[in-house]
Structure formats: C-alpha cells, structure tokens
Amino acid sequence: MGRVQGKTALVTGGASGIGLSSASLLAKEGAKVVIADFNAEGAKAAAENIRKQGGEAAGIFLDASHANSIEEAVNFTVSHFGSIDVLFNNVGVTNLQKDLDIVHIDLDEWDRLMNVNLKSVLLGCRYAIPHMQKAGGGSIINTASMAGFTGDSIRSAYGASKAGVVNLTKYIAAQYGKDKIRCNGVAPGLILTPAAEKNIPPSVLEIFAKYNALPYHGEADDIGNTVLFLASEESKFITGQTIQVEGGHYIANPSMADFNLMAQGK
C-alpha cells in the first residue's frame, strides 16, 4: 500500500477497461485520481466507486479531439487536488470499417485517429508539463500499442498513430528529463477488457492464444499494474521507454507456434 501516496493522477479514457483499472489501482495505492472520459457518467460512476472504497477521486468529461477540453481536464486536476504528478494519456480510438489498407483507407479517418490517438498525447503533455516543472517533477505515461511496432493488413492509421506515440514518448523524455519529468509508454497486446470479451469472437481469441508465448490472455490489470509501476518511485530511473505487455505474442519467429504443435503431434 502507498506506492503513490500523496500523488495526484489524471487518467484519460478512465471510465472503462485499461483506464479504469489504472485509475482504481492508483487510488488503491494512495493517489488522488481524476478520471476524464467522453463517457462523463461512466467517469463519475468510477470515481464514486473509488470514493466508496476510501479513495479520493473525481470524474469529469473529456473530449480528446479538442485541445480546450484537454487543457480544462489538466486545469481541473490542479485546481481540485492541488497538483498533477502523474498524467496517464490513455485515450485511443480505432475503426475497423474505415481504417483499412493504404489504398482504401478513409483519409478523414486517418486525420481523426492522428488527432485523437497522437495529438491528444502531445496536448496532454503540453498542458501538464508546466505544472510538473513548478512542482519539481512528475511521471507521464502514454498508451501505445503493439500495433506501433508491427504491420497489419488493416488499421494503418491506428498503427501509425501508435508508432508516433512510441517516438513522441522518447522526445518528451529527452526534452524534460532535467526537470525530473519522466515519460514512458505501455504497449498492450490483446487485452481482455469487457469490451474485447464482448466483441472478439472465440475463433479470433484462439488465433491469438496460438501465438502467445504464455498460455493465457492479458487482462486490464496487467496494464494497470504496469502503469502503477511507472507512476511510482520504483521506476524513478526509467524514462523514454515503452514497455511491451503482450504475453510474448511478438517475441518469436511466427512459425514457432506451428513447430510447437508439430512437436506435440498435433
């Protein structure tokens, strides 16, 4: 207990899934948490649940496609709790119907994903860093994705935006490290959030399981615990890194899974 005691954290996209897990774990370990989400009612409900468990939290509306909304979320955090020590830029969107291969991608969708997935990270940092400088430091954590390290048949804009998050993380770390501001990323693989469990067919989950090095899928708390570590002083000498939390899905030659089946006589 108390791994982030006395810190204030702003978690964007915190009403569900990875964001909710991270906000809950941060609060459990002593942080005062602002949960900002487009689903304002969900953010407020999540904050209320934290308060019922003895934590300190507030839920607010956030539209990550608009700079003024991001600035307002940062300013609310500082005015409500007195500081912003941790910023978790977690908002992200995807669209499997419009974000296609390079020839067929909807160009408006490209612009939307770059704005929400990448520019919102820049803006969150732009507004939070001056407060962190005045306070003598802070920790910024950005949600990237394994899509930022690999190629795919679709989701070209999503992958490019997340690759941008990985590199922007390094730039922020390099530019503000002397101010004792750390910036790191977390790159999830397939994570079984409630939304993923609802929308991903069992046949697709089987394909992912085949190529995981570990014999199970990830859960939201696997990312939340990584965020908690990066927010805490336990990671005080780590910056500019993106931690891949993906069950070993991408570490081996892709034929390895078939070789394993062959060895098992399957």
Side-chain angles (χ1 to χ4, degrees), residues 173-256:
Q175 292 169 3
Y176 297 100
K178 297 302 184 186
D179 295 319
K180 296 184 180 179
I181 296 172
R182 298 183 296 111
C183 185
N184 293 288
V186 57
L190 174 65
I191 301 297
L192 287 185
T193 61
E197 290 186 290
K198 179 180 178 181
N199 295 307
I200 298 177
S203 58
V204 174
L205 293 178
E206 289 176 9
I207 293 172
F208 271 89
K210 175 182 177 182
Y211 291 101
N212 283 354
L214 295 172
Y216 44 81
H217 294 296
E219 300 174 350
D221 279 359
D222 293 314
I223 307 300
N225 280 309
T226 306
V227 171
L228 174 60
F229 167 69
L230 291 172
S232 76
E233 294 305 304
E234 296 163 17
S235 59
K236 67 183 179 63
F237 202 51
I238 300 174
T239 195
Q241 307 303 309
T242 296
I243 300 177
Q244 300 179 2
V245 186
E246 43 74 80
H249 189 85
Y250 298 89
I251 62 173
N253 183 317
S255 58
M256 188 70 191

Side-chain angles (χ1 to χ4, degrees), residues 12-266:
T12 71
S16 61
I18 288 169
L20 177 58
S21 167
S22 300
S24 300
L25 288 167
L26 287 165
K28 184 178 180 180
E29 291 293 335
K32 294 169 283 188
V33 179
V34 173
I35 299 171
D37 201 288
F38 194 80
N39 176 8
E41 293 306 312
K44 292 175 182 178
E48 175 63 22
N49 189 53
I50 287 173
R51 291 195 295 270
K52 287 180 178 177
Q53 297 178 41
E56 295 185 70
I60 62 172
F61 171 78
L62 172 70
D63 184 347
S65 66
H66 289 88
N68 62 344
S69 185
I70 297 172
E71 184 176 19
E72 288 169 4
V74 171
N75 289 341
F76 174 87
T77 303
V78 175
S79 64
H80 192 74
F81 285 127
S83 65
I84 179 168
D85 308 293
V86 178
L87 170 63
F88 182 26
N89 288 306
N90 177 59
V91 170
V93 293
T94 189
N95 188 323
L96 299 181
Q97 285 70 49
K98 293 183 178 181
D99 185 8
L100 304 173
D101 62 273
I102 295 301
V103 172
H104 300 100
I105 187 173
D106 183 308
L107 294 181
D108 289 336
E109 190 64 16
W110 172 278
D111 291 341
R112 185 178 80 95
L113 265 63
M114 289 298 168
N115 186 42
V116 175
N117 291 354
L118 182 54
K119 189 177 180 180
S120 72
V121 172
L122 181 149
L123 290 171
C125 296
R126 180 187 185 95
Y127 298 127
I129 283 172
H131 295 288
M132 291 180 174
Q133 288 172 315
K134 291 176 184 177
S139 177
I140 298 168
I141 304 136
N142 302 322
T143 297
S145 169
M146 289 310 298
F149 294 93
T150 64
D152 202 344
S153 57
I154 59 172
R155 298 205 306 166
S156 307
Y158 181 81
S161 69
K162 291 301 186 178
V165 170
V166 172
N167 215 41
L168 183 61
T169 295
K170 296 178 182 179
Y171 272 72
I172 296 164
Q175 292 169 3
Y176 297 100
K178 297 302 184 186
D179 295 319
K180 296 184 180 179
I181 296 172
R182 298 183 296 111
C183 185
N184 293 288
V186 57
L190 174 65
I191 301 297
L192 287 185
T193 61
E197 290 186 290
K198 179 180 178 181
N199 295 307
I200 298 177
S203 58
V204 174
L205 293 178
E206 289 176 9
I207 293 172
F208 271 89
K210 175 182 177 182
Y211 291 101
N212 283 354
L214 295 172
Y216 44 81
H217 294 296
E219 300 174 350
D221 279 359
D222 293 314
I223 307 300
N225 280 309
T226 306
V227 171
L228 174 60
F229 167 69
L230 291 172
S232 76
E233 294 305 304
E234 296 163 17
S235 59
K236 67 183 179 63
F237 202 51
I238 300 174
T239 195
Q241 307 303 309
T242 296
I243 300 177
Q244 300 179 2
V245 186
E246 43 74 80
H249 189 85
Y250 298 89
I251 62 173
N253 183 317
S255 58
M256 188 70 191
D258 294 319
F259 287 140
N260 283 337
L261 292 174
M262 184 185 299
Q264 297 168 20
K266 297 180 180 179

